[in-house]
Amino acid sequence: MKFVIKNYGCQMNVNTAEQIARQLTVAGHQQVTNDALADVIIFNTCCVRNTAEQKILSHIALAKQLKQKKPNLRIAVIGCLSAKRKIKGVDILLGTDDAKQVVEKLGVPTQPLPPVTSETAYIDITYGCENFCSYCIVPFVRGKLRIRPYAEISAEFDQVKDHAQHIYLLGQNVNAYPNFPQLLADLAGRDGNFTLHFLSSHPKDFDEATIKVIAAYPKIARDIHLPLQSGCDKILRLMNRKYTVAEYMAKIACLRSYIPDVHITTDIICGFPGETAADFATTVATVQKIKFNAAYIFPYSNRSGTVADKLDDQVPFQERKVRATKLVEIMRKMS
Ligand code: 5AD
Ligand code: SF4
């Protein structure tokens, strides 16, 4: 059978999509990029923001049109969006991030895979999240925090470390791994010609012990993604982020003192409920002080079921966009 995988969302999804493709390929099926040639189209979805959701739904609608001309075409929708909502007229709807389950649902038996030989390798270390940031849908669609057994992580690492130049440890919050600094030091201390990365970190759990390990091991990338989300304490509290701007800035200062050449990126949400023009100005001032190397800036997106969705003082959609555009412009001028 010929299959197309359309992937959306975070690095964890990239990893799942790769695993599905490898399983299907090993079983003799062929990955193609042209929908018209496919027997099955797999949508590996994201629902973190409404824009992602709408884009995916429109792509699924196109696949459904194709299916009218080609009734044997199967449409599979997997991942976060299918965990969140029903989608009509598709053959498989599976709200999972487990590649094995997806492959088996397609009627293909799974098997142990040969080692990855690609330049970039991804290794899951935690699944799910239970931080419940008030804007975020992830805890609802990815479930409770689960820690992957050390033996599995360690074995997978040894399989990829001689081939991969870049190895990414993945989790919604990697710092939730018990004794993360020790895991980092353990893996980064192994021989091989790799650079070790990790995604994503939560500032409340990103600590000096982790920073010391990064500083001590040259094989750990000097790129740190530390989502700030807002530069205003009032909004951080409403977001349930569990740190203050001052605490966040202290961590940045600590990072820069141990690792002067560190490259720091962040995520910022603009127009969160209750964010006044003055609160936004506070965020702008914070971002200007910190001098990030790059920032990913998003207008706040209501996700039903979350606490933030029910807050009073929702900022008008247009204003959220105006603030996001303003901040993008400020970042552009700074860099
Ligand atoms: N609205 C806007 N941005 C969001 N993010 C997560 N949930 C939302 C939401 N409801 C952003 C955060 C997170 C990134 C992956 O997506 O900044 O760090
Ligand atoms: Fe999107 Fe979050 Fe799911 Fe990743 S975990 S695909 S970012 S909703």
Side-chain angles (χ1 to χ4, degrees), residues 9-10 13 45-48 80 138 142 172:
C10 60
N13 270 20
T45 62
C46 172
C47 59
V48 76
C80 294
V138 170
R142 292 256 156 152
Q172 295 302 338

Side-chain angles (χ1 to χ4, degrees), residues 66-240:
L66 189 61
K67 189 177 165 76
Q68 283 180 344
K69 282 183 258 164
K70 252 182 85 173
N72 288 338
L73 173 68
R74 283 193 294 167
I75 302 174
V77 183
I78 61 161
C80 294
L81 185 58
S82 24
K84 176 176 175 274
R85 58 173 289 163
K86 293 223 153 49
I87 296 165
K88 284 195 195 127
V90 302
D91 302 275
I92 295 173
L93 189 67
L94 207 58
T96 181
D97 50 1
D98 180 351
K100 268 192 188 159
Q101 258 190 59
V102 174
V103 171
E104 278 160 16
K105 189 84 182 180
L106 289 167
V108 176
T110 54
Q111 51 190 303
L113 290 169
V116 182
T117 54
S118 58
E119 268 184 27
T120 306
Y122 300 97
I123 301 176
D124 292 326
I125 67 167
T126 68
Y127 303 95
C129 179
E130 47 197 46
N131 286 325
F132 289 96
C133 299
S134 64
Y135 50 80
C136 188
I137 191 89
V138 170
F140 301 94
V141 294
R142 292 256 156 152
K144 282 221 169 83
L145 178 72
R146 282 147 291 147
I147 309 289
R148 191 168 179 208
Y150 170 77
E152 277 183 40
I153 298 170
S154 176
E156 195 171 321
F157 190 88
D158 284 337
Q159 277 188 358
V160 302
K161 74 174 173 46
D162 297 327
H163 307 282
Q165 279 169 26
H166 296 280
I167 305 176
Y168 287 83
L169 305 180
L170 297 181
Q172 295 302 338
N173 172 11
V174 290
N175 309 100
Y177 188 90
N179 208 339
F180 180 66
Q182 190 188 318
L183 179 73
L184 261 189
D186 169 346
L187 301 177
R190 298 187 189 184
D191 52 42
N193 227 335
F194 56 84
T195 303
L196 186 59
H197 309 253
F198 53 89
L199 279 173
S200 284
S201 287
H202 193 305
K204 81 176 163 61
D205 301 321
F206 187 80
D207 56 7
E208 187 168 0
T210 305
I211 295 170
K212 279 186 176 163
V213 171
I214 303 167
Y217 288 84
K219 282 184 197 167
I220 302 176
R222 266 65 189 132
D223 298 306
I224 304 297
H225 186 64
L226 203 60
L228 171 64
Q229 310 299 7
S230 170
C232 165
D233 284 336
K234 180 189 110 187
I235 299 301
L236 284 175
R237 233 177 1 255
L238 288 171
M239 287 177 162
N240 192 30

